[in-house]
Amino acid sequence: MSQRTLTILKPDSVAAGKAGAILAHLEREGFRIAGVKKIRLAPEQARAFYAVHRERSFFGGLVRFMTEGPVIVAALERADAVPHLRTTMGATDSQKAEAGTVRNLYGTDIERNAIHGSDSPENAAKEIAFFFAEAELI
Ligand code: UDP
Ligand code: MG
């Protein structure tokens, strides 16, 4: 059965002009784009989106990174979308991401890693609702 997940093409990959290549990579992996938009996150939005990490030492840097330029957020659909996107992205640290994964191809390090993907179906639903009204998803 089809499942939804949320991706964010982060400011590094968007600024590098890799958004189209990454969306094409995701489509090749069988993801259907149910909704997509380009936005610039406000610091308050980035803090809220990553609230689970607010006590971590990297939180301030992460919020700065995620607000340094525009991002592309997309709701994606396919069977097992959540685990399949995590596999397609590769490890959090781009330097350790498996060959051919999005983070290996387009990321730089553990912070500037090109792409976000939800980590569970529950969080995917919350993260999609963070950016999209149900009527915006087709
Ligand atoms: N991050 C970082 N330093 C770290 C761990 C994570 O800057 O030591 C950033 C990185 O951009 C990562 C995001 O914080 O994608 C969220 O971290 P998480 O552990 O949720 O990794 P993900 O789910 O994105 O693989
Ligand atoms: Mg995560």
Side-chain angles (χ1 to χ4, degrees), residues 6-91:
L6 182 89
T7 192
I8 305 177
L9 311 187
K10 295 186 178 184
D12 57 340
S13 55
V14 173
K18 298 302 180 188
I22 295 173
L23 288 174
H25 186 127
L26 297 176
E27 288 190 324
R28 274 199 307 278
E29 284 294 328
F31 291 99
R32 204 182 64 75
I33 299 169
V36 63
K37 58 180 129 186
K38 185 177 189 181
I39 58 174
R40 175 108 186 229
L41 289 175
E44 206 41 59
Q45 272 181 303
R47 279 194 283 273
F49 185 80
Y50 280 117
V52 61
H53 294 311
R54 66 183 171 277
E55 308 299 337
R56 310 290 296 276
S57 58
F58 61 78
F59 184 69
L62 174 60
V63 170
R64 258 193 315 280
F65 166 47
M66 291 300 294
T67 58
E68 73 181 29
V71 298
I72 290 175
V73 295
L76 303 175
E77 252 177 37
R78 57 156 277 163
D80 297 318
V82 170
H84 194 78
L85 179 60
R86 298 294 305 193
T87 304
T88 302
M89 284 167 28

Side-chain angles (χ1 to χ4, degrees), residues 50 52-53 86 92 103 116-119 127:
Y50 280 117
V52 61
H53 294 311
R86 298 294 305 193
T92 302
R103 283 169 164 172
H116 167 84
S118 308
D119 64 6
E127 291 180 358

Side-chain angles (χ1 to χ4, degrees), residues 85-136:
L85 179 60
R86 298 294 305 193
T87 304
T88 302
M89 284 167 28
T92 302
D93 185 347
S94 299
Q95 295 291 325
K96 297 180 179 156
E98 300 72 5
T101 60
V102 174
R103 283 169 164 172
N104 166 257
L105 291 169
Y106 302 109
T108 305
D109 56 26
I110 196 169
E111 179 184 77
R112 304 179 72 83
N113 59 6
I115 188 171
H116 167 84
S118 308
D119 64 6
S120 68
E122 297 69 32
N123 285 335
K126 287 184 202 158
E127 291 180 358
I128 289 169
F130 190 92
F131 291 111
F132 294 97
E134 191 56 39
E136 294 179 294

